[in-house]
Amino acid sequence: SKMHVAYFDSSALLSMLLADTNAERALEAWERGGIRVSSALLAFEGNVVIHRVGLTLPTDQLDVWVAEALQWLDNVRNELLLHEVDE
């Protein structure tokens, strides 16, 4: 049997967090399992997006949402093989 390998760019992973229009397709690919790969830039890119989205939330929700989103990102990163991006 072949091992399934799926590459997830930051936008695909963040779509799952934000439940945007691409979330369903990304989630289906995630649930197929196998080897999940992403860029080592995921942490940086995810951090930027999470904090930008947080700034759109009411002040009383911002800290909790950002903390939960960053924890989600850490959990996702633990399920990935991260590769350095060459120039």
Side-chain angles (χ1 to χ4, degrees), residues 5-9 35-39 79-83:
V5 177
Y7 177 81
F8 292 86
D9 65 14
I35 299 171
R36 299 176 184 118
V37 181
S38 190
S39 164
E79 300 288 325
L80 294 162
L81 291 175
L82 299 176
H83 288 277

Side-chain angles (χ1 to χ4, degrees), residues 59-77:
T59 307
D60 62 334
Q61 296 175 20
L62 187 150
D63 290 341
V64 170
W65 187 87
V66 168
E68 290 176 354
L70 291 173
Q71 182 60 57
W72 179 89
L73 185 61
D74 279 345
N75 293 343
V76 165
R77 286 178 54 221

Side-chain angles (χ1 to χ4, degrees), residues 4-70:
H4 177 74
V5 177
Y7 177 81
F8 292 86
D9 65 14
S10 298
S11 63
L13 292 167
L14 292 166
S15 74
M16 293 191 301
L17 171 66
L18 303 173
D20 74 11
T21 56
N22 296 316
E24 188 174 336
R25 193 170 63 193
L27 191 56
E28 287 171 2
W30 184 268
E31 289 176 344
R32 278 196 289 274
I35 299 171
R36 299 176 184 118
V37 181
S38 190
S39 164
L41 294 173
L42 172 64
F44 173 77
E45 292 171 345
N47 225 307
V48 169
V49 169
I50 287 168
H51 282 90
R52 278 193 190 146
V53 170
L55 292 175
T56 69
L57 299 174
T59 307
D60 62 334
Q61 296 175 20
L62 187 150
D63 290 341
V64 170
W65 187 87
V66 168
E68 290 176 354
L70 291 173

